[in-house]
Amino acid sequence: MSTRGRAYIKSVEKAPAQVLVLPKAHPVLNLPKVTQAVLESTITTGLFIDCQFKLYSRRLTSNGAVHTPRIVYAHSEVLKHTTDHFQSLLCGGFAEGRGTSGGSTEMPSQIAANEYGYESDSDLEDDDDSTPAFICPSTEAFSTANGGAQSALQANGVLKDAGGSPSGVTPNSLAEGSMHSDMRPDLPVRSGNVVIIPDTAFKTFKALVCYAYTGQIHFANLRSARDAAKDSPCSPAPSEMACSPKSMYRLADKYGLTTLKDLAAKSICSQLSRKNALHETLSRFTSNYTEIISLETAFIYESDTRLDCLWDLELWTHRVVSGELAHAGEALATLIRKLASRP
């Protein structure tokens, strides 16, 4: 072998070996867009489901009465693996909070505000008395004669029913919620459990089912923070699946969903500012949860701008003492104790 050849071999032997570094696997859910669109669409279209939930979606501004029942569709096994609450709820097929197991599955078109139990629920759409209300179709209208044929997503991206007829609904339109497709009796679904939930908003429960399907949750801006959000050029467009973090906290607490409850609490705290912190601390919602009282009073106590938060404390205190905001007594007392202990 020539001297040149031996030199080449030595240079190759001395060259460092290339190490291929593979990215670490992360245990996150990353569904394809079409798959996620179909999964989200099942919540309000009735495709691939075996249980139905009836909930109110709107509220009259004149008297607070809630109305316009709508249907959320889901697969029972998905929900049963989310929380034990659904085990008993779906196995019995009863109307939650009404004890009508084995009875009628029809839901009143409207109930009074005190029957609903959460007067400040921002997941209810507000309207005046002139707005026509949709009546929730009977459950029987949604069941096919043979027990329900499954629909299929065709290769061209158009959903078709079992007979092959186009429904005119694309995955995008379903995901965007462009139509009240839960009101369509032509959609083929399987008959199964029908549950009436008279104290939770349609939007909140829809977001809960989406969380059960995808592990993802989207929270909307707090009502007290929306004005500031509108002025921000970076504010993201609200998701069709977004719900109020306060409404979800209430529901997660009721159903024992600790992780989801913590996520909702973090969203609430992340939206506190000097403009709305005192308002939120003394709200009726906060008065129901010791954890939220602690978190929101801590925000004011620890904030560098706490004096800005408290500029109208005298007015709020008067409203509490006069009985207008009697529910806020504990929250106000907690805040004063924390402020008094500050060096």
Side-chain angles (χ1 to χ4, degrees):
M1 181 179 295
S2 65
T3 303
R4 184 177 181 182
R6 286 194 297 269
Y8 174 77
I9 293 175
K10 288 182 179 180
S11 67
V12 172
E13 291 175 346
K14 292 180 180 179
Q18 292 184 345
V19 179
L20 179 62
V21 180
L22 297 175
K24 294 182 179 180
H26 295 282
V28 296
L29 190 61
N30 186 21
L31 297 175
K33 291 184 178 180
V34 174
T35 303
Q36 184 158 337
V38 173
L39 285 175
E40 291 181 355
S41 74
T42 66
I43 297 170
T44 51
T45 62
L47 304 175
F48 314 119
I49 62 97
D50 63 0
C51 55
Q52 305 174 26
F53 299 86
K54 296 183 178 182
L55 311 98
Y56 292 106
S57 62
R58 307 189 70 84
R59 171 178 51 214
L60 294 176
T61 55
S62 58
N63 58 15
V66 297
H67 63 102
T68 311
R70 292 187 63 183
I71 298 175
V72 171
Y73 298 92
H75 196 288
S76 60
E77 291 304 314
V78 176
L79 299 183
K80 288 176 184 178
H81 283 82
T82 304
T83 171
D84 292 339
H85 179 86
F86 284 115
Q87 289 283 351
S88 57
L89 185 66
L90 294 173
C91 287
F94 60 87
E96 182 172 293
R98 291 183 174 240
T100 58
S101 178
S104 173
T105 57
E106 296 307 309
M107 189 175 194
S109 61
Q110 178 176 302
I111 61 172
N114 62 343
E115 292 184 73
Y116 184 73
Y118 184 26
E119 63 183 23
S120 60
D121 193 343
S122 57
D123 275 350
L124 291 170
E125 300 292 335
D126 288 322
D127 53 32
D128 55 35
D129 294 347
S130 64
T131 303
F134 292 97
I135 305 301
C136 186
S138 65
T139 303
E140 290 74 14
F142 286 88
S143 299
T144 57
N146 63 357
Q150 297 293 350
S151 295
L153 181 66
Q154 303 300 315
N156 61 5
V158 178
L159 292 174
K160 297 184 179 181
D161 61 27
S165 301
S167 67
V169 182
T170 65
N172 286 339
S173 66
L174 290 170
E176 293 168 0
S178 58
M179 60 190 301
H180 282 197
S181 49
D182 53 304
M183 295 299 173
R184 292 178 50 191
D186 60 310
L187 293 172
V189 300
R190 292 169 52 194
S191 58
N193 289 305
V194 178
V195 182
I196 295 175
I197 303 182
D199 61 353
T200 300
F202 166 83
K203 184 181 293 186
T204 313
F205 200 84
K206 181 177 68 170
L208 173 63
V209 174
C210 183
Y211 174 77
Y213 271 61
T214 68
Q216 299 178 15
I217 187 72
H218 301 278
F219 291 119
N221 289 332
L222 294 174
R223 183 173 294 175
S224 62
R226 287 177 187 170
D227 290 340
K230 289 178 183 177
D231 297 334
S232 172
C234 298
S235 298
S239 166
E240 172 62 24
M241 291 294 167
C243 68
S244 162
K246 297 194 321 190
S247 298
M248 184 56 76
Y249 184 95
R250 173 176 175 263
L251 185 60
D253 180 70
K254 176 182 176 182
Y255 286 1
L257 292 163
T258 305
T259 300
L260 184 56
K261 181 179 173 181
D262 290 343
L263 290 172
K266 289 179 181 178
S267 177
I268 293 171
C269 291
S270 72
Q271 299 187 57
L272 296 177
S273 69
R274 60 185 179 83
K275 294 182 179 180
N276 71 346
L278 190 57
H279 170 85
E280 290 296 335
T281 300
L282 302 181
S283 68
R284 185 174 296 277
F285 165 81
T286 297
S287 69
N288 293 323
Y289 304 103
T290 303
E291 178 191 15
I292 300 299
I293 291 177
S294 178
L295 291 172
E296 292 180 348
T297 53
F299 173 86
I300 297 175
Y301 171 77
E302 298 169 359
S303 174
D304 293 335
T305 59
R306 63 185 177 281
L307 295 180
D308 291 332
C309 296
L310 299 173
W311 69 272
D312 56 349
L313 178 61
E314 181 180 356
L315 174 61
W316 284 96
T317 302
H318 175 73
R319 296 178 66 184
V320 174
V321 173
S322 67
E324 180 185 353
L325 300 177
H327 60 268
E330 179 58 32
L332 180 60
T334 300
L335 176 61
I336 293 175
R337 282 195 298 268
K338 289 185 177 181
L339 293 174
S341 68
R342 191 177 181 93

